[in-house]
Amino acid sequence: MEIAEDDRYSRQERFQPLGKEGQQLLGQSHVLIVGAGALGTSTAETLARAGIGHLTIADRDYVEWSNLQRQQLYTEEDARQRLPKAVAAKNRLQQVNSTIKIDAHVMDIRAEELESLIEGVDLILDASDNFDIRLIINDMSQKHRIPWIYGACVGSYGITYTIIPGKTPCLNCLLGTIPLGGDTCDTAGIIPQAVQIVTAHQTTEAFKILSGHPEALRGKLYSFDLWRNESMNVGIGDAKKESCLSCGPDAVFPYLSAANQEKTDVLCGRDTVQIRPAQRQTLNLKETADKLDRVNEGQIESNPFLVSFSVGAHRMVIFADGRALIHGTKDITEARKLYHRYLG
């Protein structure tokens, strides 16, 4: 039986707003996906099947059993081998579509790493797990005039927003407007349907940008809660600030500066990493302890000054200013992973 390769994208091409010309543009596009967890795997598979010509995937983590419930590219064998997520994602996507180019990078994304990946990229998709990285993506997007699509989900809640440099408010403009929260999938859980809704909106917006249809973009921030049967489109055009240091006329891209990035130190003579958030926080330690107690089965210890708990071979000590000590490791990447897993 002859394989009809030319028929591969026929159903997409029959969608009139896209057509053959739009499909050709998708095939010439390069998308960078930051993160290969639930959102990253879902968006990567959608774009690979759709024929995006070049995908670059960057992630610092490896596959664990708890990922298999929602991170759709991974298998039990990937978890047994603790295969890096970026590598496992590339392996699977090459089986899905062998005609596209896929680059996998096992790295902890900060400004320097992102700068090394940005050349030739047409669009950045956010599939990260914390706001430090998102603010770096935002500044890098503004610096290089590359659109990016913010996306996040936890529990049954999700949110997404498309940012076009020079036209829309950037993420820095929206700080204090959008709900940031402190919950993560490890503390509040997540249902896979929330992932799929965010994926659908992110990748549809990606199609519009890459196929040359910016007029079809939503132009609003979209959020939803599937369990509560709620959804909302919020017009935020007025949120764009002339004084914004990320996208205003006097932009200096503050989150690309070391002064505004998370600080990590391996403490001298101790098997401990200290992490300090880029901006000083004020945590409610009782609420933090209660939240962690729900997922750590009574291993929480607290006093008016700190919260301490064990996770595997590590002990985390969290202070009211957001600073944390991760005992039992000198590996900064591992320490960051634990910090963002439990503190968001």
Side-chain angles (χ1 to χ4, degrees):
M1 179 178 176
E2 185 178 349
I3 299 175
E5 290 284 353
D6 291 343
D7 196 44
R8 180 168 201 142
Y9 306 115
S10 61
R11 302 308 185 268
Q12 227 163 251
E13 291 171 348
R14 290 176 189 174
F15 178 63
Q16 190 274 329
L18 197 62
K20 287 185 177 294
E21 182 179 348
Q23 186 62 48
Q24 290 175 351
L25 291 172
L26 295 184
Q28 297 165 8
S29 299
H30 182 184
V31 176
L32 168 61
I33 302 175
V34 180
L39 278 180
T41 54
S42 186
T43 56
E45 181 168 357
T46 298
L47 296 182
R49 291 186 183 279
I52 299 298
H54 187 177
L55 293 178
T56 296
I57 302 169
D59 189 278
R60 65 187 174 190
D61 209 350
Y62 58 86
V63 181
E64 299 178 88
W65 287 92
S66 63
N67 301 149
L68 302 181
Q69 165 255 357
R70 65 197 181 282
Q71 298 182 17
Q72 64 189 48
L73 292 179
Y74 305 135
T75 67
E76 293 182 353
E77 187 58 28
D78 294 330
R80 288 190 190 96
Q81 294 184 17
R82 295 187 175 89
L83 208 60
K85 288 183 178 180
V87 174
K90 178 180 178 178
N91 291 345
R92 173 59 178 157
L93 291 173
Q94 286 183 322
Q95 294 176 325
V96 168
N97 192 341
S98 61
T99 70
I100 66 174
K101 181 178 180 181
I102 303 169
D103 294 325
H105 297 272
V106 183
M107 60 169 56
D108 184 22
I109 289 288
R110 313 304 292 169
E112 182 179 356
E113 289 79 12
L114 191 57
E115 186 76 63
S116 73
L117 301 178
I118 207 73
E119 184 176 356
V121 167
D122 300 299
L123 175 68
I124 306 170
L125 281 184
D126 166 36
S128 59
D129 60 1
N130 68 83
F131 251 81
D132 278 338
I133 294 177
R134 290 181 178 119
L135 287 167
I136 291 171
I137 293 172
N138 183 70
D139 274 12
M140 196 68 70
S141 159
Q142 299 298 324
K143 177 182 176 182
H144 292 278
R145 315 301 283 177
I146 298 171
W148 75 286
I149 304 176
Y150 161 60
C153 48
V154 66
S156 57
Y157 172 82
I159 186 170
T160 181
Y161 176 59
T162 301
I163 296 171
I164 309 295
K167 295 184 178 180
T168 67
C170 77
L171 189 63
N172 198 10
C173 290
L174 301 182
L175 289 182
T177 302
I178 58 177
L180 308 185
D183 286 331
T184 71
C185 295
D186 290 86
T187 60
I190 188 170
I191 56 174
Q193 295 90 336
V195 177
Q196 298 304 320
I197 296 295
V198 175
T199 294
H201 286 278
Q202 281 189 301
T203 54
T204 302
E205 293 281 278
F207 272 31
K208 295 171 186 177
I209 292 170
L210 299 173
S211 67
H213 291 285
E215 76 286 350
L217 291 168
R218 180 186 300 107
K220 296 182 179 181
L221 183 147
Y222 176 72
S223 67
F224 64 87
D225 191 316
L226 290 173
W227 207 256
R228 296 178 179 177
N229 302 305
E230 297 172 351
S231 65
M232 183 168 52
N233 276 297
V234 182
I236 51 178
D238 292 342
K240 188 168 178 61
K241 300 174 182 176
E242 285 294 304
S243 61
C244 179
L245 295 179
S246 294
C247 72
D250 299 317
V252 294
F253 315 120
Y255 294 98
L256 302 184
S257 163
N260 287 308
Q261 293 183 33
E262 180 184 272
K263 312 297 190 303
T264 56
D265 303 287
V266 179
L267 300 191
C268 182
R270 299 172 63 186
D271 196 22
T272 299
V273 174
Q274 175 179 260
I275 295 182
R276 290 174 293 158
Q279 305 296 329
R280 183 183 177 89
Q281 302 178 13
T282 303
L283 298 180
N284 183 314
L285 292 178
K286 184 181 186 306
E287 290 181 359
T288 301
D290 290 344
K291 180 173 67 175
L292 293 171
D293 191 44
R294 292 196 294 270
V295 294
N296 281 278
E297 300 179 350
Q299 301 178 49
I300 308 299
E301 299 175 8
S302 63
N303 61 39
F305 310 102
L306 58 85
V307 175
S308 174
F309 71 101
S310 296
V311 50
H314 304 95
R315 172 162 285 274
M316 288 186 64
V317 179
I318 303 163
F319 300 88
D321 61 0
R323 184 171 54 89
L325 299 176
I326 293 86
H327 300 290
T329 184
K330 294 180 181 177
D331 186 331
I332 288 175
T333 298
E334 177 70 12
R336 278 182 177 150
K337 174 184 171 184
L338 289 168
Y339 183 90
H340 291 298
R341 171 179 290 180
Y342 290 102
L343 291 181

